[in-house]
Amino acid sequence: MGVVGGDVSDPVRVGIVGCGAISGAYLKFSREFPILQIEACSDVDQDKARQRALEFEVPRVCSVDEVCHDPSIEIVLNLTVPRAHAEISLGAMAAGKHVYSEKPLAVSIEEGNEILTATRQKSLRVGCAPDTFMGAGFQTARKLIDDGAIGRPVAFTAFMMCPGHEHWHPNPQFFYESGGGPMFDMGPYYLTALLNFFGPIKRIGGAASIAISERTTLTGAKISVQTPDHVCGTIEFQSGVVGTIITSFATRFPQYETAQPITIYGSEGTLKVPDPNHFDGMVHIRRKDDSEFQVVPSPFHTGYGRSVGLAEMAYAIRAGRPHRAGAEQALAVLEAMEGFLESSKTGRAIEPQSSYERPQPMPHEPLWLSE
Ligand SMILES: NC(=O)c1ccc[n+]([C@@H]2O[C@H](COP(=O)([O-])OP(=O)(O)OC[C@H]3O[C@@H](n4cnc5c(N)ncnc54)[C@H](O)[C@@H]3O)[C@@H](O)[C@H]2O)c1
């Protein structure tokens, strides 16, 4: 990764809650941003907190409560499992902290609304993963759509189809609980990208199933699947774009291009969009007179990793402007994900109730130079 710059004389101090698998990525990439100072690690399992603190030279290991009540800490970084997200985020806000949470924002719309209410009542920030939409691939695709490069956007397809995370994750139970499943786990990457492309959602429909009801972990333990492991949805955006999303933990040998799992069809051409679980990756375009797809060079910074959303929120706090990976966006994602499951049960279309506005595009230069 590149050399960082920027004169940030007043870094934002961050305390981590949840030192499992994904915490390593945050601890690694947060070093890129001089605005971030990771001050403390905590976890219900103190050994995990100690291990991460040692590995990344974090000054302190604390209890969750100590992190939330430490006056030097401004942002609590919530990297716990989905079912704990709302409790930890609300607890941190009750103690006066801004929060940046891993996805999903919460496991129900009620919890999500509680978080939104708390941010407004307490004038605190909540940011939420994914932040991959800030990467060069998605910003490039969004710019092409906004510039009219494919004419009027008409349709999209978005696919994430795999056999399930128990094949690699050391502790995969939560992927098969309520608040897990392929839509709650992987849907946020796709839905956040789609919201950034097309704006607010008008209506959605869904169909879902539990296709493989028992899973075996790497250690041979059995998991009983509690939530649909195969979820299909249709989305109608207010802009008129209509498309399909399929997320599955029950399928093998995908037949779409896994490096470009989203396709956007417009009246004048088609875009192939990179994997929204990553930041960069190539965008291809074919306009109506082209004989084949061509790579689109990106004017945006490449090389961001997990923590750019956190850093962008920290810069926004210091600058007093809105941050991009906002709670409203995460709530719009949550409403869509829950809507697919609800529609699958009732057979009815769902109209989201929350309001959503696309965040500003990212600057072309790295954040640490533009802030
Ligand atoms: N693993 C990945 O590749 C990955 C990628 C992107 C996002 N995420 C997201 O990150 C979050 C964490 O995933 P993970 O893979 O790191 O899970 P994990 O199980 O490896 O780690 C979660 C950690 O949170 C701790 N924890 C759970 N409840 C807690 C509580 N109430 N208080 C304090 N600590 C608590 C656990 O002890 C554990 O160490 C999830 O929301 C997941 O969707 C994971």
Side-chain angles (χ1 to χ4, degrees):
M1 299 291 295
V3 176
V4 296
D7 173 23
V8 181
S9 52
D10 188 15
V12 174
R13 288 182 177 76
V14 177
I16 299 180
V17 180
C19 292
I22 200 61
S23 63
Y26 279 87
L27 283 156
K28 177 179 169 200
F29 288 108
S30 61
R31 290 174 166 171
E32 298 284 306
F33 296 98
I35 188 77
L36 296 176
Q37 189 168 318
I38 309 290
E39 191 64 24
C41 283
S42 72
D43 195 297
V44 276
D45 181 343
Q46 285 275 296
D47 281 345
K48 285 190 177 175
R50 265 191 288 277
Q51 204 179 318
R52 281 295 192 224
L54 193 66
E55 193 181 345
F56 290 94
E57 297 170 332
V58 178
R60 285 184 296 139
V61 177
C62 304
S63 70
V64 173
D65 203 48
E66 282 165 346
V67 165
C68 291
H69 289 91
D70 182 326
S72 74
I73 288 173
E74 289 177 73
I75 300 178
V76 168
L77 176 57
N78 181 358
L79 306 181
T80 60
V81 292
R83 68 174 177 285
H85 284 178
E87 187 191 334
I88 297 293
S89 296
L90 288 166
M93 279 191 281
K97 305 300 179 203
H98 304 295
V99 171
Y100 189 90
S101 173
E102 248 306 328
K103 49 80 187 164
L105 178 66
V107 295
S108 71
I109 294 173
E110 289 72 29
E111 282 182 352
N113 277 325
E114 247 187 280
I115 292 172
L116 261 286
T117 303
T119 67
R120 287 173 192 141
Q121 283 175 348
K122 294 176 185 298
S123 300
L124 290 168
R125 309 275 187 140
V126 171
C128 188
D131 50 6
T132 45
F133 75 94
M134 295 179 179
F138 303 91
Q139 293 293 317
T140 303
R142 172 177 162 167
K143 183 167 166 35
L144 289 164
I145 295 166
D146 289 354
D147 291 350
I150 55 166
R152 175 190 180 282
V154 175
F156 70 87
T157 55
F159 302 116
M160 195 301 300
M161 300 172 75
C162 72
H165 290 346
E166 72 275 19
H167 299 285
W168 63 271
H169 197 283
N171 190 19
Q173 177 79 36
F174 73 86
F175 294 116
Y176 296 103
E177 295 170 350
S178 165
M183 185 55 83
F184 270 72
D185 181 53
M186 298 302 287
Y189 299 109
Y190 289 73
L191 295 165
T192 304
L194 294 168
L195 283 162
N196 271 267
F197 295 153
F198 307 130
I201 293 173
K202 180 178 174 193
R203 194 163 47 177
I204 62 176
S209 64
I210 294 182
I212 303 174
S213 60
E214 189 180 76
R215 307 294 177 130
T216 307
T217 69
L218 292 172
T219 58
K222 300 290 181 196
I223 297 174
S224 164
V225 176
Q226 306 294 329
T227 192
D229 57 6
H230 183 77
V231 184
C232 303
T234 54
I235 308 177
E236 183 182 348
F237 285 87
Q238 286 178 17
S239 63
V241 176
V242 178
T244 304
I245 179 168
I246 301 179
T247 61
S248 184
F249 283 164
T251 51
R252 290 176 190 276
F253 315 123
Q255 292 299 299
Y256 58 90
E257 287 182 42
T258 51
Q260 291 176 313
I262 301 176
T263 308
I264 299 169
Y265 300 89
S267 56
E268 307 293 314
T270 296
L271 280 185
K272 296 202 275 187
V273 177
D275 182 348
N277 192 12
H278 302 293
F279 288 85
D280 302 324
M282 279 193 286
V283 177
H284 284 80
I285 191 167
R286 183 171 174 183
R287 293 191 186 87
K288 65 179 182 201
D289 296 326
D290 296 342
S291 56
E292 54 190 31
F293 278 93
Q294 293 162 14
V295 177
V296 182
S298 175
F300 294 92
H301 173 71
T302 55
Y304 288 136
R306 283 194 168 87
S307 75
V308 62
L310 169 68
E312 199 271 342
M313 187 171 96
Y315 284 118
I317 288 170
R318 288 288 182 266
R321 60 158 175 81
H323 56 287
R324 289 177 173 86
E328 287 83 0
Q329 177 165 279
L331 185 64
V333 167
L334 182 57
E335 275 197 292
M337 298 191 298
E338 201 173 291
F340 295 133
L341 297 183
E342 181 64 20
S343 171
S344 168
K345 280 190 219 146
T346 63
R348 294 211 181 93
I350 306 285
E351 291 180 7
Q353 300 302 304
S354 66
S355 59
Y356 172 72
E357 218 175 290
R358 298 194 307 167
Q360 289 295 308
M362 289 289 279
H364 290 187
E365 64 272 31
L367 268 186
W368 51 80
L369 296 181
S370 62
E371 294 286 344

